[in-house]
């Protein structure tokens, strides 16, 4: 295999393009993964509220919107979901 200066430039340019693409897509990917993790945590919190609230007659429907709301806002989000459940 012949390795000349044109090949070296092409390899270097390819590495630079890969590096730039990784830098561009890394931040949005982190946001998406954080949003997904918060949604899972929110769903778990809502499931725990359903389990404990079952004794008091509190029943919350868990869907992606309520899980994300509870995950992003934390305890105030759970309270908001409970209030919305009874208002709507």
């Amino acid at each position: 295999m012949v390795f000349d200066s044109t090949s070296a430039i092409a390899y270097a340019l390819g590495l630079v393009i890969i590096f730039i693409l990784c830098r561009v897509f890394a931040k949005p990917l982190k946001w998406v993964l954080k949003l997904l993790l918060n949604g899972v945590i929110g769903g778990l919190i809502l499931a725990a509220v359903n389990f404990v609230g079952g004794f008091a007659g509190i029943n919350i429907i868990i869907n992606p919107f309520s899980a994300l709301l509870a995950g992003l806002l934390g305890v105030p989000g759970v309270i908001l979901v409970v209030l919305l459940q009874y208002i709507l």
Side-chain angles (χ1 to χ4, degrees), residues 3-88:
F3 192 74
D4 56 349
S5 62
T6 310
S7 297
I9 293 171
Y11 286 127
L13 185 62
L15 287 174
V16 168
I17 290 172
I18 290 172
F19 177 75
I20 290 171
L21 286 175
C22 287
R23 296 284 291 188
V24 166
F25 291 119
K27 193 172 253 187
L29 184 61
K30 286 181 186 178
W31 288 344
V32 168
L33 291 176
K34 186 174 180 178
L35 188 65
L36 183 65
L37 179 66
N38 284 345
V40 169
I41 291 171
L44 291 174
I45 291 171
L46 290 174
V49 167
N50 268 343
F51 179 71
V52 174
F55 301 115
I58 297 174
N59 188 13
I60 302 170
I61 297 174
I62 301 175
N63 55 28
F65 176 73
S66 63
L68 281 176
L69 189 64
L72 289 175
L73 297 178
V75 175
V78 173
I79 294 169
L80 181 64
V81 169
V82 170
L83 290 174
L84 285 176
Q85 181 73 26
Y86 285 108
I87 290 173
L88 299 176

